[in-house]
């Protein structure tokens, strides 16, 4: 790696905000000998542009860095030998981020490749057939006459042979050990704050009717220990392998049979990893096993579906991430505690540098408002939610001509809140989604010009609501990890309360960035759960300075008296006519938590983009 190239590799024609200073600091951190640099960069700092500049510093052998002047030629010089790792990877867990990269003309040399299931077969007799179900994966010895034009293999070939290959973290992890995507000099991970959780999720083994295609033929025992789970996993590998071999012996598979074969191979790989890791005395991974109740009428000793979960999967990350590059840059707004993050992902904090990028959004454009109504714990939710709904109606009155989003945290809260708002007579301004239709519902809401309110679940990250797409948001509940999850419970039993509060704070900080996306953008965030105030006290030392400034400026807003009719029970025209007298110019001061009915920096032309919610794990 040659960090001296970092400014020459910056793809934009000029710097904005703190980008120039950030590049200086990143360059110096790598030049000091650090193999890993954490870049804590808030919303709007241009993380993708910084990532491109870092990736451009990767060692190369092709001479493309040659420059006219001796000074620039010296900066660009590389001393790579044929056996050295060269070039760079760019990866992110969020599909929406990869979509943004693919569409950004400043990042056109980041060559994107996705999993086979994201491409359609181009054979004339295949209609809407994804490449992972095409004849080349169904028929033994199939020789595709158009493979050179296949969109998947074309993208893969381009990405594997160009300086910067870009892919989702899922695809990146699954290609570990691949002859196509070998070790490179530099690896940049964007939105890296959840790297440990993604690794835990990806290494989890689910054994149930949905994930195991031969489930009905299995007899699942009661599993009362990890050792018993290892014994069963060993036996199940053999069972799955025999069924897969039967399919491989078939000259031509149907699409369903091809899917069965692939799912069997996935389970075999996962189970073998679990068994090998558990039996490795040098592995730091701790495994937990959850088992559901057996089916009705089950015999004695028979058990239900199993979930085998890793904790602190350092070995898994070493294989899928750390062995893939020489130098790493990990970018995020919410790597809140360097030492804790490093421990979670298997890095030595002494060998890792942290670069902080300043926040350039005026704090008065991103106010926090305390509208807390009580605790939203499971035991107290029924009592608190009606008051939250009333507060939401008053917020809707304050923002009668502006779209807003409500982070409900769970579908149970969403459903109850939707019913209460209907009882108040404001259902005509409210939209929501279910588990299956979340992406379509989100896109429909983003596309409308009406000041509708969207009741969302788990959309605190990877959602860009710039400008008039949303001028306000409400956080219904402190997003603490679910204590019924065995991993969470195990950590709390181990007295890891700092992790618990830090994890919730990270989600809150992410959520607060959804509605303010540029220096001239503005949007208010309202807090309904009093547990959020307690969270801010407990996790204050882990707050970024710029977020602590928001918290310190938090106040109780002067909302209108409760009046559902003024909140929007009638038509759009009626709503606007009822509120037109509240200001002589139809707008409000941004610092008060309201805003002009016209937009600043983001019209709804962004609504045609792919949903930012659909993170794809089926990469084949």
């Amino acid at each position: 790696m040659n960090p001296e190239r970092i400014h020459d590799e910056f793809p934009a024609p000029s710097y904005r905000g703190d980008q120039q200073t950030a590049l200086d600091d990143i360059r110096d951190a790598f030049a000091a000998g650090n193999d890993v640099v954490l870049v804590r960069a808030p919303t709007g700092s241009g993380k993708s542009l910084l990532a491109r500049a870092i990736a451009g510093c990767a060692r190369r052998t092709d001479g493309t860095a040659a420059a006219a002047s001796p000074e620039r030629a010296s900066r660009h010089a590389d001393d790579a030998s044929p056996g050295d790792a060269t070039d760079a990877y760019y990866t992110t867990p969020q599909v929406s981020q990869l979509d943004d990269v693919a569409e950004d003309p400043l990042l056109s040399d980041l060559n994107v490749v996705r999993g086979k299931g994201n491409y359609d077969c181009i054979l004339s007799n295949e209609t809407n057939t994804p490449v992972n179900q095409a004849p080349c994966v169904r028929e033994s010895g199939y020789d595709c006459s158009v493979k050179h034009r296949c969109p998947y293999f074309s993208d893969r070939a381009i990405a594997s042979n160009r300086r910067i290959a870009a892919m989702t973290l899922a695809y990146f992890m699954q290609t570990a050990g691949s002859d196509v995507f070998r070790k490179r000099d530099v690896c940049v991970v964007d939105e890296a704050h959840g790297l440990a959780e993604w690794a835990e999720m990806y290494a989890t083994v689910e054994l149930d009717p949905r994930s195991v295609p031969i489930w009905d033929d299995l007899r699942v025992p009661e599993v009362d220990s990890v050792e018993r789970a290892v014994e069963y996993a060993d036996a199940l590998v053999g069972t799955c392998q025999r069924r897969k071999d039967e399919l491989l012996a078939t000259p031509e598979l149907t699409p369903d049979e091809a899917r069965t074969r692939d799912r069997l191979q996935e389970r075999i790989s996962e189970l073998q990893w679990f068994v090998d890791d558990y039996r490795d005395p040098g592995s730091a991974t701790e495994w937990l096993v959850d088992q559901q109740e057996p089916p009705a009428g089950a015999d004695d000793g028979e058990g239900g579906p199993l979930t085998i979960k890793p904790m602190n999967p350092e070995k898994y990350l070493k294989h899928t991430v750390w062995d893939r590059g020489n130098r790493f840059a990990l970018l995020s707004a919410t790597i809140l505690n360097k030492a804790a993050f490093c421990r979670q992902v298997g890095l030595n904090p002494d060998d890792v540098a942290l670069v902080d990028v300043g926040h350039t959004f005026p704090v008065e454009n991103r106010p926090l408002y305390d509208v807390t109504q009580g605790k939203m714990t499971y035991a107290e939710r029924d009592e608190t939610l009606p008051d939250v709904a009333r507060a939401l109606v008053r917020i809707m009155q304050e923002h009668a001509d502006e779209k807003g989003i409500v982070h409900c945290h769970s579908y149970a809260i969403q459903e109850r809140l939707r019913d209460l708002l209907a009882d108040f007579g404001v259902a005509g301004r409210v939209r929501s989604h279910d588990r299956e239709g979340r992406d379509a519902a989100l896109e429909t809401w983003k596309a409308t010009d009406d000041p509708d309110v969207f009741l969302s679940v788990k959309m605190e990250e990877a959602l860009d609501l710039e400008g008039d797409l949303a001028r306000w948001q409400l956080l219904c509940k402190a997003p603490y990890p679910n204590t019924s999850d065995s991993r969470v419970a195990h950590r709390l039993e181990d007295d890891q309360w700092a992790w618990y509060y830090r994890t919730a704070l990270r989600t809150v900080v992410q959520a607060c960035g959804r509605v303010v996306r540029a220096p001239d953008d503005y949007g208010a965030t309202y807090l309904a759960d009093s547990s959020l105030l307690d969270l801010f006290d407990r996790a204050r030392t882990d707050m970024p300075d710029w977020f602590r400034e928001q918290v310190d400026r938090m106040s109780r807003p002067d909302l209108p008296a409760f009046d559902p009719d003024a909140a929007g029970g009638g038509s759009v025209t009626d709503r606007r006519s009822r509120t037109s007298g509240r200001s002589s110019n139809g707008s409000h001061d941004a610092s008060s938590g309201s805003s002009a009915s016209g937009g600043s920096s983001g019209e709804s032309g962004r609504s045609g983009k792919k949903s930012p919610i659909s993170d794809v794990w089926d990469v084949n």
Side-chain angles (χ1 to χ4, degrees):
M1 181 184 191
N2 186 352
E4 293 300 320
R5 286 204 301 259
I6 198 164
H7 284 286
D8 294 331
E9 292 292 335
F10 186 69
S14 61
Y15 304 110
R16 63 178 174 84
D18 290 345
Q19 289 174 337
Q20 186 171 10
T21 301
L23 291 174
D24 287 340
D25 292 343
I26 296 166
R27 176 198 61 205
D28 294 345
F30 278 119
N34 294 288
D35 289 337
V36 181
V37 176
L38 310 182
V39 183
R40 188 158 56 189
T43 301
S45 54
K47 289 196 296 294
S48 296
L49 300 180
L50 299 178
R52 167 59 186 82
I54 297 167
C57 297
R59 185 166 49 188
R60 12 179 141 148
T61 57
D62 59 8
T64 57
S69 71
E71 179 184 358
R72 285 176 59 85
S74 175
R75 284 202 305 270
H76 284 271
D78 288 328
D79 57 358
S81 65
D84 289 332
T86 59
D87 301 327
Y89 287 116
Y90 170 88
T91 183
T92 173
Q94 297 173 352
V95 172
S96 62
Q97 187 72 19
L98 197 67
D99 293 339
D100 290 342
V101 165
E103 296 170 7
D104 192 334
L106 293 175
L107 303 173
S108 59
D109 61 348
L110 270 67
N111 297 276
V112 175
V113 59
R114 307 173 192 270
K116 286 183 180 180
N118 295 279
Y119 299 86
D120 286 336
C121 178
I122 59 174
L123 290 171
S124 58
N125 57 338
E126 298 292 331
T127 305
N128 298 323
T129 303
V131 173
N132 63 344
Q133 298 174 29
C136 60
V137 298
R138 300 197 317 255
E139 298 180 25
S140 178
Y142 185 85
D143 184 14
C144 182
S145 61
V146 294
K147 184 176 180 178
H148 62 290
R149 292 193 290 110
C150 172
Y152 168 69
F153 286 102
S154 176
D155 277 2
R156 191 182 73 165
I158 292 170
S160 65
N161 287 289
R162 300 289 173 84
R163 287 177 49 210
I164 307 174
M167 59 194 72
T168 64
L169 183 64
Y171 189 88
F172 180 69
M173 286 181 164
Q174 199 166 63
T175 55
S178 163
D179 288 335
V180 177
F181 292 108
R182 300 182 180 182
K183 182 176 183 177
R184 294 197 172 195
D185 187 39
V186 173
C187 178
V188 181
V189 183
D190 206 350
E191 302 297 342
H193 52 272
L195 189 57
E197 288 87 349
W198 280 83
E200 287 183 354
M201 180 173 69
Y202 197 58
T204 292
V205 184
E206 299 276 0
L207 301 177
D208 55 33
R210 180 193 59 82
S211 62
V212 182
I214 56 173
W215 183 262
D216 291 340
D217 300 328
L218 301 177
R219 186 185 185 279
V220 183
E222 289 182 357
V223 175
D224 56 4
S225 66
V226 180
E227 290 82 0
R228 184 73 181 92
V230 171
E231 294 173 4
Y232 179 63
D234 244 348
L236 185 55
V237 165
T239 303
C240 290
Q241 187 67 56
R242 286 189 292 273
R243 176 57 181 143
K244 192 189 88 165
D245 290 344
E246 292 174 4
L247 292 170
L248 291 175
T250 304
E252 181 174 354
L253 301 177
T254 66
D256 282 345
E257 289 173 332
R259 282 192 293 271
T260 296
R261 176 203 58 201
D262 293 342
R263 286 164 64 197
L264 287 169
Q265 182 55 54
E266 290 167 4
R267 297 297 83 74
I268 291 168
S269 298
E270 292 170 352
L271 290 165
Q272 285 179 332
W273 175 269
F274 161 56
V275 171
D276 292 344
D277 182 88
Y278 182 78
R279 290 174 175 167
D280 178 3
S283 174
T285 311
E286 183 175 5
W287 292 91
L288 303 177
V289 178
D290 296 336
Q291 186 167 35
Q292 299 177 28
E293 292 296 320
D299 297 333
D300 288 343
E302 188 174 353
L306 286 167
T307 304
I308 304 169
K309 303 176 180 179
M311 296 185 63
N312 304 319
E314 296 177 11
K315 181 179 174 182
Y316 184 82
L317 280 169
K318 183 179 186 305
H319 170 64
T320 59
V321 178
W322 308 131
D323 287 347
R324 307 290 297 280
N326 293 325
R327 300 283 191 95
F328 294 84
L330 311 180
L331 292 80
S332 172
T334 50
I335 296 176
L336 301 180
N337 183 296
K338 172 190 166 183
F341 175 83
C342 290
R343 285 194 301 269
Q344 282 187 290
V345 299
L347 297 174
N348 184 344
D350 295 337
D351 299 331
V352 178
L354 173 64
V355 171
D356 264 315
V357 181
H359 204 315
T360 58
F361 295 4
V363 67
E364 59 269 18
N365 286 12
R366 43 187 173 92
L368 286 175
Y369 289 109
D370 175 3
V371 294
T372 54
Q373 303 298 310
K375 291 188 176 182
M376 285 287 290
T377 61
Y378 184 80
E380 298 169 277
R381 184 182 305 166
D382 288 344
E383 182 178 347
T384 305
L385 255 177
D387 293 332
V388 172
R390 290 178 65 89
L392 176 53
V393 170
R394 297 174 66 198
I395 295 169
M396 292 167 65
Q397 293 171 234
E398 177 71 14
H399 298 274
D401 288 336
E402 295 169 332
K403 295 166 71 172
I405 184 169
V406 179
H407 298 286
C408 298
H409 185 73
S410 71
Y411 283 99
I413 294 175
Q414 180 205 58
E415 181 179 1
R416 179 64 177 141
L417 195 57
R418 185 176 60 231
D419 291 344
L420 288 165
L421 294 174
D423 291 342
F424 292 145
V426 297
R429 193 179 164 190
V430 175
R431 296 173 183 253
S432 62
H433 65 86
D434 56 21
R435 287 176 174 83
E436 287 72 34
R438 53 189 286 129
D439 298 348
L442 174 66
E443 292 304 315
T444 301
W445 170 70
K446 288 171 64 178
T448 184
D449 292 328
D450 294 339
D452 289 348
V453 179
F454 191 63
L455 306 184
S456 72
V457 178
K458 301 300 181 186
M459 294 188 182
E460 296 93 347
E461 296 189 34
L463 185 58
D464 184 343
L465 299 175
E466 185 176 359
D468 287 340
L469 288 178
R471 288 298 181 191
W472 60 273
Q473 59 184 345
L474 174 69
L475 274 62
C476 284
K477 185 182 183 304
Y480 287 112
N482 187 352
T483 54
S484 66
D485 183 290
S486 56
R487 277 180 293 219
V488 176
H490 189 79
R491 287 186 168 107
L492 296 186
E493 289 170 4
D494 196 33
D495 206 28
Q496 296 183 35
W497 288 97
W499 166 86
Y500 185 68
Y501 295 122
R502 190 164 49 244
T503 301
L505 177 64
R506 190 180 71 193
T507 303
V508 172
V509 176
Q510 285 284 338
C512 287
R514 296 314 97 209
V515 298
V516 184
R517 309 294 300 177
D520 59 348
D521 199 2
Y522 51 90
T525 298
Y526 296 89
L527 309 177
D529 182 3
S530 60
S531 295
L532 286 163
L533 307 182
D534 179 64
L535 170 63
F536 291 163
D537 288 339
R538 293 178 180 273
R540 184 174 178 82
T541 57
D542 286 321
M543 288 181 183
D545 292 343
W546 55 267
F547 187 72
R548 188 180 301 117
E549 186 181 13
Q550 279 182 263
V551 172
D552 289 344
R553 290 172 56 97
M554 182 170 55
S555 62
R556 296 285 296 190
D558 184 16
L559 296 174
F562 180 73
D563 182 357
D565 191 51
S571 67
V572 174
T573 301
D574 290 343
R575 290 199 297 265
R576 289 176 174 165
S577 66
R578 281 196 298 271
T579 59
S580 61
R582 287 172 51 199
S583 172
S584 60
N585 62 1
S587 64
H588 307 284
D589 189 311
S591 65
S592 72
S594 303
S595 56
S597 58
S600 72
S601 60
E603 293 297 314
S604 59
R606 302 172 69 91
S607 62
K609 296 174 67 174
K610 284 187 177 181
S611 166
I613 304 303
S614 302
D615 283 326
V616 177
W617 282 92
D618 181 15
V619 298
N620 294 301

